[in-house]
Amino acid sequence: MQEYIQKRVLDICAYILETQATVRQAANVFNVSKSTVHKDMTERLPSLNKELARQVKMILDYNKAERHLRGGEATRRKYKDLA
């Protein structure tokens, strides 16, 4: 793996661990696609640091479990503002 990719993977990992960010939020901060963040966290990070990968996986799994609730809340706010 190239050095700049390793640095990006570890930087994104640190950001997600600090902020509990979603894949989409991390992608926006680092100006990469959601697919890149997902691949970095699920495929590349485990080869660099298994413990960090485990911690990030727990956050990403939590965010995935909560996303239907967040979407519902966003829709509720949208239509409340229109009324």
Side-chain angles (χ1 to χ4, degrees):
M1 188 180 330
Q2 295 181 5
E3 191 173 321
Y4 79 95
I5 294 176
Q6 287 182 6
K7 182 179 179 346
R8 181 186 69 217
V9 168
L10 294 174
D11 288 347
I12 294 172
C13 171
Y15 178 75
I16 290 174
L17 291 174
E18 284 176 23
T19 63
Q20 309 283 308
T22 63
V23 169
R24 187 179 296 249
Q25 290 167 336
N28 286 335
V29 169
F30 289 91
N31 290 325
V32 294
S33 71
K34 295 182 305 180
S35 300
T36 299
V37 172
H38 190 266
K39 183 170 182 135
D40 284 352
M41 296 302 103
T42 59
E43 295 178 20
R44 294 180 177 130
L45 184 59
S47 68
L48 296 174
N49 187 322
K50 289 195 185 310
E51 178 57 26
L52 288 177
R54 188 187 62 74
Q55 293 173 15
V56 168
K57 182 173 177 12
M58 288 173 48
I59 292 169
L60 296 182
D61 287 347
Y62 174 79
N63 287 338
K64 186 174 182 181
E66 292 285 315
R67 74 178 168 198
H68 69 284
L69 299 174
R70 290 184 188 133
E73 182 59 33
T75 302
R76 193 173 301 111
R77 281 194 312 266
K78 174 183 173 184
Y79 287 105
K80 181 181 178 188
D81 292 344
L82 292 176

